[in-house]
């Protein structure tokens, strides 16, 4: 009140000062606005305003440093070999150099990166650190001209590595099973081995019909586990990618379901459905239940398909 200057006015002067609109510091502004004649009161007002100015200046410097840090350390590494970016390398090279036969000068490398990663450069800019990341990823020396063949060779190599990783991964895009993954191939081998075992077990149970004691319990456990295995396999098939006519993997679940329903779903369902289990719940005689296991012999088709795939 003695300074005739409220907090809102002081804040406005401080904002104008840090944005460059006002050259005079808030401290001098308070002194100028002060109407107090007492020298001590003027000094107290000046000290308080000086402390506020230092606090606000410190906050401004902190914000500037943090912003500069993130701009400086915003990495290009995750974008260097992205599918949506790699196809722009050639266009950017021609745009900067004019031809793929001529090398890219080292001084134009940052401009090349700005053109290639235009979205990144518009938000964060391209720094010397980003340039060094590019050189390290593409195994290029510093301060030397860059030939397009060197860039292209690394891009092709990275694409091949990504394809190998995708082949080894269990899931493709959208959590669809990858039929080429080692883990799914092990599962296919397990189901095929179970189908081969069933092919020999079903005629044996029909012929000898083990009904009593531990032997009967053992056969029942084996039969139940194999039924569960084939039912799970049936469910997995609705989420298993398949190659189309162009040898490209289909990842759409609706198309996968239609493809499976139109191909081997009926055979797999008959082979996996526990007819003998339902007959046992209904109290059917053991002799009839044994004959109801015959549809399980259709599972041998799985073994034949696996052998064909390996040949």
């Amino acid at each position: 009140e003695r300074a005739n200057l409220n907090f809102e006015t002081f804040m406005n002067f401080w904002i104008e000062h840090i944005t460059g609109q006002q050259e005079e510091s808030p401290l001098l502004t308070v002194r100028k606005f002060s109407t107090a004649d007492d020298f001590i009161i003027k000094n107290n007002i000046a000290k308080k305003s000086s402390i506020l100015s230092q606090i606000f200046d410190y906050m401004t410097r902190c914000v500037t440093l943090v912003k500069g840090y993130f701009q400086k350390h915003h990495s290009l590494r995750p974008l260097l070999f992205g599918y949506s970016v790699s196809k722009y390398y050639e266009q950017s090279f021609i745009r900067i150099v004019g031809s793929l036969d001529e090398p890219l000068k080292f001084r134009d490398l940052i401009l090349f990166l700005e053109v290639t990663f235009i979205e990144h450069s518009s938000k964060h800019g391209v720094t010397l650190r980003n340039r060094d990341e590019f050189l390290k990823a593409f195994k290029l020396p510093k301060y030397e001209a860059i030939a397009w063949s060197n860039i292209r060779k690394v891009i092709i190599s990275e694409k091949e590595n990504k394809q190998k990783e995708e082949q080894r991964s269990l899931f493709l895009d959208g959590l669809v099973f990858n039929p080429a993954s080692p883990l799914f191939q092990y599962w296919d081998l397990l189901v095929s081995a179970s189908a081969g075992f069933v092919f020999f077990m079903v005629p044996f149970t029909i012929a000898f019909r083990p009904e009593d004691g531990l032997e009967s319990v053992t056969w029942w456990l084996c039969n139940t586990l194999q039924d569960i295995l084939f039912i799970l396999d049936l469910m997995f098939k609705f989420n298993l990618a398949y190659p189309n006519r162009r040898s490209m993997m289909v990842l759409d679940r609706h198309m996968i379901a239609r493809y499976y329903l139109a191909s081997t779903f009926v055979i797999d369902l008959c082979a996996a459905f526990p007819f003998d289990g339902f007959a046992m719940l209904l109290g059917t005689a053991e002799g009839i239940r044994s004959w109801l296991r015959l549809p399980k012999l259709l599972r041998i088709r799985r073994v034949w398909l696996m052998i064909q795939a390996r040949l």
Side-chain angles (χ1 to χ4, degrees):
E1 294 177 358
R2 298 294 297 272
N4 196 22
L5 181 68
N6 58 25
F7 183 75
E8 182 180 356
T9 308
F10 173 77
M11 286 294 296
N12 290 332
F13 276 112
W14 175 75
I15 292 172
E16 291 177 358
H17 173 66
I18 63 173
T19 55
Q21 301 176 10
Q22 176 79 348
E23 295 182 359
E24 196 175 66
S25 68
L27 178 60
L28 296 176
T29 302
V30 171
R31 287 178 177 174
K32 185 172 67 175
F33 270 75
S34 178
T35 57
D37 296 328
D38 194 330
F39 180 75
I40 298 176
I41 296 176
K42 283 188 176 184
N43 280 344
N44 289 334
I45 295 172
K47 286 179 181 178
K48 292 179 181 179
S49 60
S50 177
I51 292 171
L52 285 174
S53 297
Q54 290 176 7
I55 292 172
F56 288 128
D57 288 341
Y58 178 75
M59 291 170 61
T60 304
R61 285 196 296 270
C62 288
V63 171
T64 304
L65 287 173
V66 171
K67 185 177 179 181
Y69 175 84
F70 282 105
Q71 286 181 345
K72 181 180 178 181
H73 293 82
H74 197 88
S75 178
L76 267 180
R77 195 177 298 111
L79 306 176
L80 289 176
F81 298 107
Y83 174 77
S84 59
V85 177
S86 59
K87 60 184 178 182
Y88 295 121
Y89 279 118
E90 184 175 349
Q91 299 175 6
S92 302
F93 197 94
I94 295 174
R95 184 175 176 182
I96 301 299
V97 180
S99 171
L100 295 177
D101 300 328
E102 298 293 327
L104 175 70
K105 296 179 181 179
F106 184 77
R107 66 170 181 264
D108 296 331
L109 180 56
I110 290 183
L111 179 60
F112 169 75
L113 295 176
E114 288 177 349
V115 174
T116 306
F117 304 98
I118 187 168
E119 185 176 349
H120 177 277
S121 61
S122 62
K123 293 181 179 179
H124 310 286
V126 176
T127 63
L128 295 177
R129 183 176 181 270
N130 298 144
R131 182 199 66 185
D132 294 340
E133 287 176 343
F134 176 83
L135 293 173
K136 184 178 180 181
F138 282 82
K139 302 175 184 178
L140 299 171
K142 270 189 177 183
Y143 311 114
E144 293 184 12
I146 302 170
W148 167 248
S149 58
N150 294 334
I151 298 177
R152 183 174 178 273
K153 180 172 64 177
V154 176
I155 293 174
I156 294 174
S157 176
E158 287 294 325
K159 283 185 177 180
E160 291 176 353
N161 292 336
K162 279 189 175 182
Q163 289 177 354
K164 290 179 181 178
E165 290 179 1
E166 288 179 355
Q167 288 177 356
R168 295 187 61 84
S169 63
L170 178 60
F171 295 104
L172 299 174
D173 293 341
L175 296 180
V176 176
F177 288 114
N178 179 12
S181 67
L183 192 59
F184 199 86
Q185 289 180 358
Y186 290 141
W187 169 262
D188 193 39
L189 183 63
L190 176 64
V191 175
S192 300
S194 175
F197 180 72
V198 167
F199 185 74
F200 293 100
M201 187 187 74
V202 169
F204 180 81
T205 54
I206 292 175
F208 296 99
R209 296 197 298 274
E211 299 177 358
D212 301 319
L214 180 63
E215 192 177 17
S216 178
V217 174
T218 304
W219 282 118
W220 180 83
L221 285 174
C222 291
N223 191 47
T224 303
L225 289 175
Q226 287 167 2
D227 287 341
I228 293 172
L229 195 68
F230 269 83
I231 290 171
L232 287 175
D233 185 67
L234 188 75
M235 296 168 61
F236 290 160
K237 289 276 188 74
F238 281 100
N239 200 41
L240 179 65
Y242 70 93
N244 59 13
R245 294 178 180 177
R246 298 180 181 178
S247 298
M248 297 179 65
M249 301 304 292
V250 178
L251 305 179
D252 185 78
R253 283 194 175 92
H254 296 289
M255 295 182 66
I256 292 172
R258 286 201 298 267
Y259 174 79
Y260 183 46
L261 288 171
S263 56
T264 62
F265 171 73
V266 176
I267 297 175
D268 292 343
L269 180 62
C270 292
F273 193 82
F275 293 102
D276 55 333
F278 279 96
M280 184 178 65
L281 293 175
L282 295 174
T284 309
E286 174 63 25
I288 298 176
R289 292 207 307 267
S290 298
W291 286 100
L292 288 176
R293 296 190 182 101
L294 281 177
K296 297 181 187 295
L297 295 177
L298 295 172
R299 298 178 184 178
I300 197 62
R301 179 180 175 277
R302 183 64 174 267
V303 180
W304 175 247
L305 290 176
M306 188 190 72
I307 295 173
Q308 281 187 326
R310 299 296 186 274
L311 294 178

